[in-house]
Amino acid sequence: MEISEKFNEVFGYSPELISAAPGRVNLIGEHVDYNGGDVLPFAISQNSLAAFGARSDSKIRIASQQKPGEIIQGDIHILTPLYGQLWSRYVLGVFWALGDSRVTNGFDIYIDSQVPIGAGLSSSAALESSIAYALNHFFHWNLSLPELARFCQKAENDFVGVPCGIMDQAVSLMAEEGAALLLDTRTLASTHIPFDLSKDGLELLVIDTQVHHDLIDGGYAERRNSCEKAAEILGVKTLREISAEDFERRKSELDKTTYLRAHHAITEIVRTELAVQALGNKDYVALGNLLTQTHISLRDEFTVSCPELNCAVDVAIAHGALGARMIGGGYGGSAIALIQAGERVSIEGEISTAFRDQGFIEPRFFAALPSAGARIIEQR
Ligand code: GLA
């Protein structure tokens, strides 16, 4: 059933606006967005859809395909952080961040997340972006995409309570089809880097381990705090501002864990720069090696990997991938592998077998194609 019919079934009338915003895969630049580094994510073809009907009062009602039977109620004038069920906070938080001086009437909203939830593909940022993009369109505010991304991040940080960086919201809003988004997370200045692996006989395979992760538990915040602590001790605003050489020279000022966390971030910022060069030169061997180095750094220094992610990466590399790594916050979710298109079936088979042998849940696979960012898909 189409989302407009589902909206109609719940609210008894047809929606006037439907928006879509994608999930993302981060090619490289992991756990650097809150350290001021550049990141290189792209949008995937799976979207979070949101159908809107404007109301004449200030009420908000939200229903979701993923939460049948639940309707969350709110009011644009009386939203406070942590209000509502967790899933609905990503929607209400965007209303709250934009504020009732901008959002001047209520809405009925039906959402349908086609981005797998908990798979490390940013279903939450996709949901926030679909709401912010639609409201900007509806009220003709003409806020820029980076401005909308900041509102979405504020919603997630302060309303949902997740201390995430800006990468996921920015790429969901700013992505273009066929390109990866090179984003400076300090300024949100961006460049679209053409990214079409198929021309070169390659594919980026996404392996969803089906181990669900949640940034709301303490691990993500702990990593972020470690990086901020390192920056403070080293007297810089963010870890972006210290060179790898200076960092090594001042190593003794940091305790071992803080050093390792910061070392990941500082070397990852350099790897991202090198990956952009490798992509420009179509040097996929170099790109693959950088992806694998990132995985090792996330696994051993940042310690945010898990056995399923390590297994997916190791097996992919052992069977011909040019490189592979876990993506996103960590502790589960998805890995990516840069592979020759012709080897996809055999690599998937090897990973599935290894997962079965280890007693892990059956993984899911798909090819990630750089897709468009947030947009309006229907308007009445
Ligand atoms: C999550 C966060 C992002 C980013 C990544 C790690 O996806 O939402 O802001 O920090 O983890 O790179």
Side-chain angles (χ1 to χ4, degrees):
M1 211 197 289
E2 292 282 313
I3 188 167
S4 52
E5 289 170 52
K6 292 174 193 158
F7 180 101
N8 202 326
E9 209 174 74
V10 176
F11 298 116
Y13 63 101
S14 295
E16 55 197 89
L17 193 67
I18 302 175
S19 62
R24 62 98 187 90
V25 156
N26 185 18
L27 190 56
I28 197 159
E30 211 65 276
H31 283 279
V32 300
D33 62 348
Y34 50 82
N35 288 308
D38 286 359
V39 292
L40 191 60
F42 64 88
I44 54 176
S45 56
Q46 288 90 342
N47 288 278
S48 190
L49 305 181
F52 291 76
R55 296 177 59 95
S56 52
D57 59 16
S58 57
K59 290 202 173 61
I60 307 170
R61 294 189 296 177
I62 314 164
S64 161
Q65 169 75 10
Q66 282 68 41
K67 295 281 174 186
E70 279 183 47
I71 297 187
I72 304 293
Q73 313 244 13
D75 186 304
I76 53 170
H77 301 308
I78 43 178
L79 291 171
T80 43
L82 301 182
Y83 177 84
Q85 301 288 333
L86 178 60
W87 66 268
S88 68
R89 288 184 198 150
Y90 299 101
V91 178
L92 294 170
V94 174
F95 277 84
W96 171 82
L98 287 159
D100 59 1
S101 59
R102 287 192 191 82
V103 182
T104 48
N105 59 262
F107 286 90
D108 291 325
I109 304 171
Y110 189 92
I111 57 182
D112 183 4
S113 174
Q114 297 167 357
V115 183
I117 293 170
L121 301 170
S122 286
S123 55
S124 10
L127 174 53
E128 291 154 5
S129 301
S130 70
I131 303 297
Y133 192 91
L135 292 177
N136 191 35
H137 180 87
F138 182 88
F139 289 110
H140 309 289
W141 297 321
N142 291 321
L143 291 169
S144 69
L145 298 176
E147 282 172 313
L148 290 179
R150 297 250 190 241
F151 280 113
C152 292
Q153 186 194 20
K154 183 174 166 54
E156 188 150 347
N157 287 173
D158 301 336
F159 195 93
V160 186
V162 173
C164 65
I166 190 77
M167 168 172 73
D168 305 342
Q169 293 79 4
V171 67
S172 182
L173 286 155
M174 296 161 70
E176 279 183 8
E177 196 178 336
L181 183 78
L182 177 62
L183 178 78
D184 181 333
T185 59
R186 296 169 303 182
T187 59
L188 301 194
S190 64
T191 316
H192 296 280
I193 309 259
F195 183 54
D196 183 359
L197 294 172
S198 64
K199 279 191 192 141
D200 298 302
L202 298 170
E203 250 182 44
L204 201 69
L205 178 66
V206 178
I207 307 131
D208 173 6
T209 62
Q210 304 243 51
V211 177
H212 285 188
H213 81 133
D214 205 336
L215 294 189
I216 216 145
D217 66 21
Y220 183 89
E222 193 269 335
R223 300 305 184 279
R224 185 170 178 158
N225 288 340
S226 282
C227 291
E228 285 166 359
K229 178 176 158 194
E232 198 184 320
I233 294 171
L234 298 168
V236 287
K237 196 159 162 256
T238 65
L239 292 176
R240 167 82 178 254
E241 273 123 63
I242 186 157
S243 69
E245 297 73 36
D246 283 349
F247 176 68
E248 283 308 316
R249 228 174 8 86
R250 298 185 57 187
K251 181 176 178 174
S252 62
E253 293 173 49
L254 305 174
D255 64 77
K256 184 157 180 253
T257 305
T258 310
Y259 168 79
L260 287 174
R261 306 283 195 250
H263 186 260
H264 162 74
I266 288 167
T267 55
E268 181 70 356
I269 289 170
V270 175
R271 279 189 291 274
T272 305
E273 272 174 42
L274 296 174
V276 173
Q277 286 168 24
L279 211 52
N281 298 333
K282 291 189 176 266
D283 185 348
Y284 295 114
V285 171
L287 180 64
N289 284 334
L290 289 162
L291 299 183
T292 306
Q293 283 170 31
T294 291
H295 182 74
I296 294 168
S297 180
L298 289 165
R299 184 189 68 194
D300 299 344
E301 299 195 337
F302 222 61
T303 61
V304 290
S305 192
C306 68
E308 290 85 349
L309 288 167
N310 295 338
C311 175
V313 165
D314 292 347
V315 173
I317 293 170
H319 292 89
L322 297 173
R325 72 177 195 87
M326 57 151 284
I327 58 164
Y331 316 101
S334 298
I336 52 172
L338 180 61
I339 60 170
Q340 307 284 350
E343 291 182 352
R344 177 169 172 185
V345 174
S346 74
I347 291 180
E348 287 184 2
E350 296 291 348
I351 295 173
S352 290
T353 306
F355 268 52
R356 217 169 301 125
D357 290 350
Q358 306 256 353
F360 299 156
I361 319 170
E362 176 78 23
R364 289 189 297 189
F365 302 96
F366 58 92
L369 293 178
S371 304
R375 62 218 174 271
I376 301 299
I377 55 174
E378 221 177 286
Q379 184 165 23
R380 261 198 313 127

